[in-house]
Structures are given as C-alpha cells and as structure tokens.
Amino acid sequence: MADKKDEDLHAEGLRIYKHAVEADAHNRERYAEDIRFARLNEQWPEKIRKQRETEGRPCLTINRMAAVIRQVVNDARQNKPAIKFHAVGDGADQWTAKVLDGLVRNIEYSSNADVAYDTAVDNAVSGNVGYFRITTDYAADDVFDQDIKIERIANSLSVVPDAYCMDADSAGWMDGFVTEDYSLDAFKAKWPEADAASFEGDGKGVAEGWLSDNLVRVAEWWRRREVAAVIIKLSNGQIVTEKQFADPELQQLLAVQGVKEVARRETRTMEVTQHLMNGCEILETNEWAGKFIPIVPVYGDEVIIDGKRYLKSLIHDAKDAQRMLNYWRTTSTELVALAPKAPFIGPTGSFASDANWATANTGNHQFLEYDPVPDAPGQVPQRQPFAGPPAGALQEALNASDDIKSITGLYDASLGAQGNEISGRAILARQREGDTSTFNFTDNLNRAIRHAGRIMADLIPKVYTVERVIRTIQEDGTNRSVKVNGPTEPLPEEVQAQQEQAVGIARIYDLTSGKYDVTCESGPSYTTRRQEAAAQMIEFIQAVPGAGQIIGHRLAKNLDWPGADDIAEDLQMVLPPQLQGQNPQLMQAQQQMQQAGQIVQQLQRQLEDQQREHAVEVAKLRIDAYKAESERIKAVGGGMSPEQVQALVFQTLQQVLTSPDVMPGDPQPTPALPAQPGMPEAPPQAPPQPPIEGIAG
C-alpha cells in the first residue's frame, strides 16, 4: 500500500509540475530574454549580428539598461524594509513583540538576509520575478535547538509557482516547486538508496524534462492542503493541536507545570509537506511546521488578463528604444570611420609614376608625388572634404535616448546627470518623479518581506518552544541576550516605562502563545536617520538655544564621536528627574522607604546587641548558681554516704536542666526528691533576692 501510495503521489506531482511549467512558460521565456538583453548585452538580433560581422562592419552595444536597473535596485538597498510585530490578542503583549522584533533582526543578520532580498529585487527588476525562501536548521552541531533562516534563490527559473494563485504574494499557494540539477555521481552520493538505473540507460523510464545532458533533476514539491484537526486549550492559555498534545515529552512537561486540558474542538487547518522527487520516484517526505509554503516571490510589473498573469521587468518595454540607440550610434560611428577613406581626385595620369597612391588611404607616407598633366596645367590631386557626422543619425540616437528615459521614468536627475533643471527644488522634484515611476518594484519587495514576517510569526511559536536564551538585535545594532519561555528579568525599556525599579520581578516572554500582526516599514537605514537627526537637532538648538540643555544628551548619542555614548550618559545624569523619565513622587516615596529601612536595620542591630548582652549575663548567673550549689553540697556532704551525695547531685542537675532561666529575682523551687536512707534534711532555701538592674526576669 505504501508503494502504491507513493506512486500515486509521484504521478500527482509530475502532473502538477507539468501544468505549472506550461502555465508560466511565457513569463519564464520573458525572464530569460530580458536578463540576457540587459545583463549579457545580447541586444542585436543574431542574424543581423552575424551578417555585419561577416562584412566587417561594426556592431556596437551602448547598454543603458544596466544603469537604469542599478538605480532602482540600489535605491531599494538603501531603504531596507523592517519587519515589525504588533500584539493582537490571546496573551500577546507589546514587550514580547519587541523581543520578536529583535529576534527577527538577528535571524536576518545571521542568515545574510540582505543578500536574499537584494538578489530577489534585482531579478525582479532585471527579469520579471525574484524569490527567496525561509528554512529551519539546528543552531549548532551539538544542540537540538533550531533556528529560522532566510536564504536566497539565485536562479528564479528554478522556482515553479502555483499555476492558479494570483495573489500578490505566496500566501495562497497550494503547490510550489524548487528544482535543482545534479550530476549522476552527485545524485547517487546524496541519495544512495534511490533507483538510479533509469538514469543510466536510455532514460525511457524518466519523465520528460527530468533528465538532460546526464543531469538528474530533483524538485522540492511543496504541497499545502486543508485538513481536519482538533485543537486543545490548556489551563495556561496555550493552544495546541491534538497531535502536539499527544507528544510524551510535552505531556511530561505539562504534568510538571501542573497544566491541564481545559477545552477542545474540531477545526480546519493547513498542512504543508515537502516531497523531494525526481522523474521516477519520491525520494523524501518531510513535514513542515508552518501553514504557509516558505517560498516568497518578489514580482516585477504585473498585468493579469483573461485569468493569466503577465510579468514584466523594468526594461522590457525599453528594449526597442535600446536597439534603436545601438543602431544609430553604430551607423554614425561607421560613417565617421569611413571618412578618411574618401578617394583622391585628379586628372587622368596624375598617379601613374608613384605607386604609393594605391595605399594613400591605409598607409602613412611621408610624401606623395604626382605626374603633371599637360592638358590640365596647375591641377593637383585633392581629397574630397569630410562633410561631418550625419546629423540625422545623431538626432535619431538622441531621440532613442529620450525614449529610454520616458519609458523607464528615470531622467537625467535620477541618474545623477546634469539635466535641464537648475534649482535644487527642481532637481529634487525630478528625482522624486523618477522614484515614483519605479516605486512599484520597491513596494513589491515590501510586500514580500511583510509576507516573510507572517511566515516567521507562524513558525516562531513552533520552533522556539523551550526555555532558552536567544540573541536579539536592537534597532541601533546593539546585541542583547534575552531568556524566553521562562522566568527572567524584564527588559530595561519595560522597567522604565512601568516605573519598576525592582529587578527581581519575574517576567516571562512566552513566544509560544499570543497572536501578532506583522507590518513592514521601509526607509533609510538607522545610521542614515541618525545622521539626519543629528543635523536637524543642531539646527533646532541654534534656533532655540534653551533646548540644548534638554536634548543635548540625545544630540551626543546621535553623533559619531568616540565616546559619544559616554557623553550622552553624563549629560542625561544632570537632567531633572522629570526629563529622565522618572516620577518625582515615586522617587520621594522610594527615598522615604529607604530611610525607614535604614532605621529598622539600626534598631534591629541594637536589639541584637542587647540580646547578646542578656545572654552573657544569664550565662554568668547560671555559673554562679552552680558554684553556690556546689559549695552547699560540700557543706552538707561531710556526713553523707556516697549514695546520698549521688542523689543530691542528681537533684541539683535536675533543677538546673528543668529551669527555663536561672535568675536571682525569680528563683525556681527545688522539687523534693524521695528521701534516701541516712540522708540529712536539706537546709531551708534562702529568701528571694531583689532583681539585678538592667536584666528582665
């Protein structure tokens, strides 16, 4: 049954793959053409290029596309989108959202996510679509903790998208493929148990398109389907699936924590599975923790008509203008290059004696001799004058250049060249016009990164499930280690915001519960914004001199001096409490409590001293009483037998041990012992003595 099931699943995968490739064939063809045109300078038709090369004529390529692409791509690089989490409900809070912000920054930093983002937007602008992906992997070789990673997909043609989804991102994808070609030896080494016999022969047992030039194609088939599920609500507010709840390790952990099941219900959810397949069989099957296919597209210019999606690059419509520019610049260059080959004109017989006239256009001769002609006295051979470059060809080249600007929406000011604009305001307006005309590419990148944030928001509660210490990166680039899913000290920002000075207060940043929404904010980098803020603060302080005493520490913090942070801290320390974010009434109450605590400690120390002195006096009195009793025993023991002496000693020890306190002012009566034979009667007890001053009875 398992083999039959795998065969049916493989047949389904081949069918879906073939249909998806056919549905996206026009976009894939355009992608390859535009990339070759803009990046590989393949801008002349192959037939014309070969003909001109055969004739020895120039075939120039003045590629304006690369500069246009770099302008848009580098502008997107300078305005990096940032993923932000916002608490929605079910136990979510703003401070855990800040921890998630820092965690995602660390994921992006450790994964080199900027390379993934830049590659995707570059492919979208140059071709028509780019992709990046989200994966999970173990944090180290010797641990079981996993981390989320963002990886780039360099070749956009290796991805085959869902044939039916027309969403602006991949949130609605039900199927998706990522292909990679392996040599036969590499394929055998990676999957030694796979059936490689079909690839070694004539390949008849391999599906069409899965074997070419001895390369075996392996595809990741991401399959997303809606399935029935049962969710369980726990007493700590956490929601888990029935499958998760049945895990023995989770059961043991919940039992230790005293967490129990509160309620359960049936629901519908998405299940994502990764199948590794080739043209013959399913190689591996892996379950994915999230509910989205972790492949994120960055689309170029998009047009949907008749239920079909058409994607275009930035330079797709400018290719004809670029070809015209190449042609007219080549034509003018060819005409100018042929100008020195204009023939010499002279009377018949003028060139008979000197053979150098035959190479006058190609050689560099010191002199040329001509033969005078009697019928044309005074006439010497002359070269035809050069009329100059053809004005028509140059004008057409200028027209083609203007066409490229108007089609792409990027004029001279946007490319950093001198244009017709004179004032700074006019230059900025033209630059803004260029940014606006190409903003759809940058905005598509923002959408893609926002969807990546939703994928990570779905994955984090399922990957970071145990109590662990994670590294977070703040907005200013500083690192901070935060303990999650367990008691820890609150963040400094949270302490300051809530006026909590007791660092011992326990706080739990639970990443496994709560719902969070994701937004994506784009703009200049933190360093650029800090520099701009410092410049504007200086201008503000110059306009309002009194503000320097209030915001001086903020200005110092935004400067790039060595030790600027120390200067900022020194300036902040001299600010009034109100400007330091502190509550004066709370501070006064804390000072009073501190003073009261010191008084209590002083009184406690005095009481301890008195108790020690009292204990010393009690010990002395007990010693004196024991000595007095010893002397009495000596006095009366002269006429006593050893048995009577032993009984008297026993009586004395009993009095000492049973007495709670031996004080002169509060004597304890001596209990009568049974009379011993021959033992004299005990002397009468002394009358009570007044208490000693300073010692309580």
Side-chain angles (χ1 to χ4, degrees):
M1 292 297 294
D3 294 340
K4 177 62 176 177
K5 183 178 180 181
D6 288 344
E7 290 178 1
D8 295 342
L9 186 64
H10 181 258
E12 180 187 0
L14 291 177
R15 177 180 55 79
I16 295 175
Y17 175 82
K18 181 179 180 180
H19 178 68
V21 170
E22 293 175 352
D24 197 49
H26 57 288
N27 290 324
R28 300 170 70 85
E29 183 179 354
R30 285 187 177 186
Y31 177 91
E33 290 179 356
D34 291 355
I35 289 290
R36 291 182 178 277
F37 186 92
R39 292 305 179 87
L40 301 182
N41 293 349
E42 297 180 5
Q43 299 181 358
W44 285 84
E46 187 65 19
K47 182 178 179 180
I48 296 178
R49 184 183 63 80
K50 289 183 177 180
Q51 179 181 355
R52 295 180 72 90
E53 289 178 354
T54 302
E55 297 174 355
R57 301 175 62 186
C59 191
L60 305 180
T61 299
I62 315 299
N63 190 2
R64 298 282 182 87
M65 302 291 98
V68 171
I69 291 172
R70 285 195 299 269
Q71 177 64 30
V72 178
V73 172
N74 292 337
D75 184 60
R77 289 185 176 187
Q78 293 177 352
N79 296 274
K80 287 293 184 184
I83 298 174
K84 297 286 186 180
F85 286 81
H86 305 276
V88 176
D90 290 346
D93 63 273
Q94 60 173 332
W95 303 111
T96 304
K98 290 186 177 296
V99 173
L100 290 172
D101 292 343
L103 174 60
V104 169
R105 292 191 196 98
N106 180 62
I107 292 173
E108 292 178 327
Y109 174 78
S110 59
S111 305
N112 292 325
D114 57 334
V115 178
Y117 299 157
D118 296 342
T119 302
V121 71
D122 196 336
N123 289 339
V125 176
S126 304
N128 51 36
V129 66
Y131 298 93
F132 61 91
R133 64 186 304 172
I134 297 173
T135 63
T136 59
D137 197 3
Y138 290 104
D141 296 338
D142 55 351
V143 299
F144 289 93
D145 295 335
Q146 288 192 333
D147 286 334
I148 298 174
K149 295 185 177 181
I150 301 173
E151 297 179 354
R152 81 166 186 161
I153 298 179
N155 181 15
S156 295
L157 295 181
S158 66
V159 179
V160 181
D162 191 294
Y164 300 101
C165 180
M166 298 296 169
D167 294 346
D169 49 38
S170 61
W173 281 16
M174 302 301 290
D175 296 281
F177 296 85
V178 181
T179 62
E180 185 175 357
D181 294 337
Y182 292 84
S183 66
L184 188 57
D185 293 337
F187 175 79
K188 291 180 179 179
K190 191 164 186 178
W191 291 279
E193 298 181 358
D195 182 13
S198 301
F199 301 101
E200 295 176 344
D202 53 8
K204 291 184 178 180
V206 182
E208 183 180 358
W210 291 82
L211 177 65
S212 61
D213 299 331
N214 293 325
L215 294 177
V216 180
R217 175 161 297 178
V218 176
E220 301 175 39
W221 174 25
W222 290 93
R223 187 173 182 268
R224 179 171 178 255
R225 297 293 183 268
E226 186 179 27
V227 296
V230 176
I231 58 175
I232 299 174
K233 183 177 181 180
L234 304 179
S235 57
N236 62 353
Q238 186 177 356
I239 307 295
V240 297
T241 63
E242 187 178 33
K243 185 177 181 180
Q244 294 172 337
F245 187 72
D247 187 2
E249 295 183 359
L250 180 60
Q251 288 282 353
Q252 184 178 4
L253 179 61
L254 296 177
V256 172
Q257 297 177 350
V259 178
K260 299 180 180 179
E261 177 182 344
V262 176
R264 65 170 57 200
R265 72 175 181 89
E266 295 182 355
T267 185
R268 305 288 295 181
T269 186
M270 288 295 179
E271 184 179 76
V272 179
T273 309
Q274 179 201 45
H275 301 285
L276 294 179
M277 57 180 289
N278 58 15
C280 298
E281 60 181 333
I282 298 290
L283 301 174
E284 295 180 23
T285 297
N286 304 307
E287 294 184 359
W288 179 249
K291 63 181 180 180
F292 297 105
I293 293 179
I295 303 171
V296 184
V298 180
Y299 293 121
D301 197 8
E302 178 188 40
V303 178
I304 298 178
I305 185 171
D306 295 335
K308 200 171 185 179
R309 187 203 302 265
Y310 295 88
L311 300 175
K312 296 193 300 182
S313 66
L314 173 66
I315 56 90
H316 181 77
D317 294 333
K319 290 195 294 185
D320 287 342
Q322 176 65 53
R323 292 189 181 101
M324 291 171 59
L325 176 65
N326 293 337
Y327 175 78
W328 289 115
R329 290 298 298 270
T330 300
T331 299
S332 61
T333 301
E334 186 177 13
L335 293 176
V336 173
L338 292 175
K341 297 183 179 181
F344 284 89
I345 299 177
T348 302
S350 300
F351 311 107
S353 59
D354 193 347
N356 290 333
W357 285 104
T359 58
N361 282 332
T362 59
N364 187 16
H365 305 293
Q366 295 181 355
F367 58 88
L368 294 172
E369 295 181 351
Y370 72 96
D371 299 327
V373 179
D375 296 338
Q379 293 187 9
V380 299
Q382 295 181 354
R383 187 189 293 273
Q384 287 291 96
F386 175 55
L394 295 179
Q395 183 60 44
E396 288 298 330
L398 291 175
N399 292 341
S401 179
D402 291 339
D403 290 339
I404 293 175
K405 298 174 187 177
S406 60
I407 292 172
T408 60
L410 297 174
Y411 296 90
D412 294 334
S414 298
L415 299 175
Q418 181 67 38
N420 298 327
E421 302 83 4
I422 299 177
S423 67
R425 186 180 298 274
I427 294 175
L428 289 176
R430 184 55 63 92
Q431 290 177 347
R432 191 178 302 111
E433 182 179 348
D435 293 340
T436 302
S437 64
T438 59
F439 182 73
N440 56 323
F441 292 94
T442 305
D443 192 47
N444 288 346
L445 176 62
N446 294 344
R447 292 177 181 174
I449 296 179
R450 183 171 65 248
H451 180 53
R454 287 197 294 265
I455 294 177
M456 287 188 283
D458 177 53
L459 277 179
I460 287 174
K462 303 163 186 175
V463 175
Y464 299 86
T465 57
V466 299
E467 182 177 332
R468 59 187 289 194
V469 177
I470 61 173
R471 186 182 73 165
T472 63
I473 298 180
Q474 308 307 304
E475 190 175 7
D476 59 359
T478 58
N479 296 335
R480 177 186 296 166
S481 296
V482 179
K483 183 180 180 182
V484 297
N485 302 330
T488 184
E489 294 184 357
L491 297 175
E493 303 94 310
E494 184 176 2
V495 172
Q496 184 176 3
Q498 298 182 2
Q499 297 294 336
E500 295 175 353
Q501 301 300 328
V503 296
I505 297 178
R507 180 70 163 87
I508 298 179
Y509 299 105
D510 190 359
L511 304 186
T512 63
S513 62
K515 293 183 179 180
Y516 296 88
D517 194 9
V518 178
T519 60
C520 188
E521 300 177 0
S522 62
S525 64
Y526 180 82
T527 302
T528 303
R529 288 186 281 119
R530 185 183 64 181
Q531 294 173 352
E532 293 177 352
Q536 294 178 5
M537 284 182 187
I538 293 174
E539 296 178 358
F540 182 76
I541 291 174
Q542 292 175 350
V544 186
Q549 299 178 356
I550 301 176
I551 65 173
H553 66 289
R554 299 186 183 276
L555 173 60
K557 190 174 183 179
N558 287 313
L559 296 175
D560 292 328
W561 300 339
D565 292 338
D566 297 335
I567 297 175
E569 292 179 0
D570 296 339
L571 292 175
Q572 188 175 8
M573 290 177 62
V574 300
L575 290 175
Q578 297 89 337
L579 297 179
Q580 295 186 24
Q582 300 176 355
N583 188 343
Q585 297 179 354
L586 180 60
M587 291 181 61
Q588 183 178 3
Q590 291 175 348
Q591 292 176 357
Q592 294 176 355
M593 292 177 62
Q594 185 177 4
Q595 294 175 358
Q598 293 175 355
I599 294 175
V600 171
Q601 292 178 359
Q602 183 177 3
L603 294 175
Q604 186 175 2
R605 285 194 297 269
Q606 293 178 358
L607 180 60
E608 291 175 354
D609 293 340
Q610 292 178 0
Q611 290 177 349
R612 282 195 296 269
E613 294 176 357
H614 174 71
V616 172
E617 293 295 334
V618 169
K620 289 181 179 180
L621 292 174
R622 287 183 175 180
I623 294 173
D624 293 342
Y626 182 78
K627 288 181 178 180
E629 190 67 21
S630 299
E631 293 296 333
R632 186 178 70 84
I633 293 174
K634 289 180 181 180
V636 300
M640 298 174 61
S641 64
E643 291 78 6
Q644 293 175 338
V645 173
Q646 182 179 3
L648 183 59
V649 171
F650 176 77
Q651 179 183 1
T652 303
L653 291 176
Q654 185 179 9
Q655 292 177 356
V656 173
L657 294 176
T658 57
S659 175
D661 199 359
V662 181
M663 300 298 295
D666 189 15
Q668 299 294 329
T670 302
L673 293 176
Q676 300 293 333
M679 177 179 176
E681 295 181 0
Q685 296 185 1
Q689 301 293 329
I692 301 175
E693 295 182 0
I695 300 179

